[in-house]
């Protein structure tokens, strides 16, 4: 996973790791480990929250695509 994408998404919104951790309902240390790539298996519910919050796709977060733009979602808000 390209962990720079997580950091870049967070910094683009001028947020701290603690801010994002609170939004995702995870410990700040856990979120920091996501950004550093120390944890490669991010829980699906956390990935969904990240994608929705950052208005991007899970594919972008996981480095499957470089397309930051999101796509139409089915019934998820």
């Amino acid at each position: 996973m390209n962990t720079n994408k997580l950091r870049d998404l967070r910094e683009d919104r001028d947020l701290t790791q603690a801010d994002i951790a609170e939004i995702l309902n995870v410990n700040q240390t856990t979120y920091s480990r996501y950004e550093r790539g120390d944890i490669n298996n991010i829980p699906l519910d956390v990935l969904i929250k990240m994608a929705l919050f950052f208005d991007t796709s899970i594919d972008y977060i996981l480095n499957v695509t470089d397309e930051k733009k999101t796509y139409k979602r089915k019934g998820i808000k």
Side-chain angles (χ1 to χ4, degrees), residues 6 9-10 13 15 19-27 30-31 34 42-62 70-71 73 76-77:
L6 285 179
L9 287 167
R10 176 179 58 79
R13 294 198 178 204
L15 297 170
D19 294 332
I20 297 299
E22 184 175 335
I23 290 164
L24 298 175
N25 198 30
V26 299
N27 186 289
T30 301
Y31 180 78
Y34 294 157
I42 300 172
L44 184 57
D45 64 316
V46 175
L47 283 170
I48 291 169
K49 286 179 188 177
M50 284 181 189
L52 291 171
F53 179 78
F54 291 123
D55 195 29
T56 192
S57 68
I58 292 172
D59 287 347
Y60 179 78
I61 293 169
L62 296 178
T70 190
Y71 43 81
R73 295 187 170 105
I76 297 177
K77 294 183 180 189

Side-chain angles (χ1 to χ4, degrees), residues 30-46:
T30 301
Y31 180 78
S32 175
R33 293 178 69 203
Y34 294 157
E35 270 195 19
R36 288 193 319 263
D38 293 344
I39 298 177
N40 289 320
N41 297 322
I42 300 172
L44 184 57
D45 64 316
V46 175

